[in-house]
Amino acid sequence: MGKYKTEPIKCWDKAKELRTSIYERVAKARDEGKIIVAGGTESMLALPAGYDMEFLGGEPYGASCAFAGKHDPSVCLGFFEAAEAARYPRDLCAYMRLAIGSLLADRYLFGGNYPKPTFNLQTHICDSHAKWYQIMSDIEGVPYHAVDFIPYAWETENELEESKRLKREFLVGQMLDAIDWMEKVTGKEYDDEKFINAVNWECEATNLWAECCMVNRSIPAVMDEKMMFSFYIIAVLMRQRKEAVDFYTELLDELKDRQKRGIAACANEQFRFIHDSQPPWFALDVFRYLEKFGAISIGAHYSFSLSGGWAYDPEQDTWLPAKPPKEAGVELRTREEACEWYAEWILAYHTLLRSLRWSGRGKHKRLLDIVKNWNADGVIIHLNRGCEGTAVGQMELNRFLNDQKIPCMTYEGNLADAREFDLERTLAKIDTFMETLDLKKLS
Amino acid sequence: MITAGMDVGAKTVKVVILKDGQIIGKGMATAGLEADGATQSAWERALEEAGISRDELRKIFATGSRREEVSGFDESVSEVVADARAMSVVNPEIRTVLDVGAEEGRAIRMDAKGKVLEFAVNEKCAAGAGAFIEAMARAMQVSMDEFGAMSLQSTKSIPINAQCAIFAESEVVSLVHDETDRPDICKAINDAISDRLTSMARRVRVEPKVALIGGAAQGLGLQNSLKNDLGIDELFVPDDPEFLGAYGAAIIAAESQT
């Protein structure tokens, strides 16, 4: 009998169904005469939504390959080897290598050949991502377009309003250029109404995910991070769709109900930690192992921010769910107004993008904010060799947390490439870390 | 009360027997692919030195990376916690412990009571491990003692840049082919290992005083390189530095009975 009552989450099957459906729709899109757009999933999904299109996002696809590779190495190791045979080195982004390998092997994880996109649309936010889809386009022989931008600096940097205005104007210009470019390469008229709806839904879906994360402040936590992986992915894959808004509305209701009734994600929760960076997708057992000590990951800057819209509240000196247009009393009527709002949303509220570009100080403050407000007892950092973007500054973060007397452990690995991960050593390190915290395995 | 600690390491098994806080027996044996035989030998030596039978032991705690391969202990404790606890007894002034085992290196920052404040372990890469130093001593055709003494004769700094022990070894082969003096090669190897250990130690922030333990700790060349890299005048090396883990496990076993 555990300390807390647990129950399966009802939205679980819905999340799985939605996730599977998007990959299946991508597979069928060509035959149905639909546009397929590929790119990194941070590529402003509402932007190509002025068309009836399916979006194939590279990072979740890579994560799925890594997870599936546990049972079928040919879809993970096989893709890595295909990329390596084409001389893409092992120190590149692991998701990128999986996508290139999958394309070169002409094999789609979800069945059939690799779905050739109509065009690739990418943002210049991560160095690897910027080159990733340029390479894909070269191999596929399809058009490529990149949207260039720099997110606002963290609030710790006191960025000038004029600097923000210039960044916003620049991004709006880039978005409008991208729309013109899409009309040119598809030969089809862009539908502003669809775009405006998509901007509204993307902002609403990401606001709702942030609200879901807020519920997890409660003790016991209603979600562990393994659950979050299955839930945040909906926004990653389809946040510009009404289905995502509906899903998160339902999930938020369920989480609030669980919170009210004291339903826990982990029956023996006794050590709440924050996990930094993506996990090794092929070794999620690490989280199960931690549960033996009553240790539960209740979130991460990554899991919160990848799919969440977060606004800094100077009065409370914390980040809170950002208000989408309707909640802020704004009606988007034109393409330009939608671009203006969307640019602000990306630059100001997509906090994960900031941590890829700006000084560690802001991320340190955000981590500390999460630790304090989500009542975490420590942090476990995955020194992720598969993602340069999220691994940047991790050792400085480790030092910062130790200075704050927050227990912190690091382990080396790779989000997708199991050849760079040593499970036994990681478990041994967890044993040691738990021992230093006087935590024993629960019987 | 008599308790014991057993450290089943990658290369050797060490046993320490404690009676009322005093060491009354120690035993060590080299383990091959099977750790069982070495464990038995280490126990026989320790029990013989202690002059007791195994039945007289109240509690046995095990540590070491291969402890799960053997039986005959009550509970296990991690190497990091065992090292820190032992060092707090051996020298309470120590705040940073560097442990160079055959398989891995560890850096531990601790308080006066032996509580671990921060630790780092070298992971997949074996560089920094004592096994590399031993292999290089064999390649130089000298004993470990001679390897350290030779290293001290050199005043040159020849960098070995590879992070990986295997690539580092090929750099050593190149130095041999270049007819580099053996003392200079020995020092280059110690400097390289020290460099990696120092990098790991800095992850936990080196706080004086610093101790070096583990099988490679008695190497004078490595001690000298570490003092230079860490910028410290004093590096504490306890007697029998390879027994610290087993000693810590025995102490914790005794504490579990009070």
Side-chain angles (χ1 to χ4, degrees), chain A residues 395 399 402-403 410-412 419-422 425 429 432 435-436, chain B residues 77-78 80-81 103-104 115-116 118-119 122-124 202-203 205:
Chain A
M395 291 312 287
R399 179 155 287 194
N402 275 301
D403 284 343
T410 61
Y411 69 99
E412 288 179 19
R419 295 170 296 182
E420 292 201 300
F421 182 71
D422 186 331
R425 284 207 172 191
K429 210 165 182 189
T432 302
E435 215 174 296
T436 62
Chain B
V77 60
S78 69
V80 167
V81 170
E103 188 183 89
E104 62 184 20
K115 181 170 172 53
V116 176
E118 219 176 329
F119 70 96
N122 75 279
E123 298 196 34
K124 281 195 87 171
R202 288 196 174 126
R203 282 166 64 176
R205 268 165 299 189

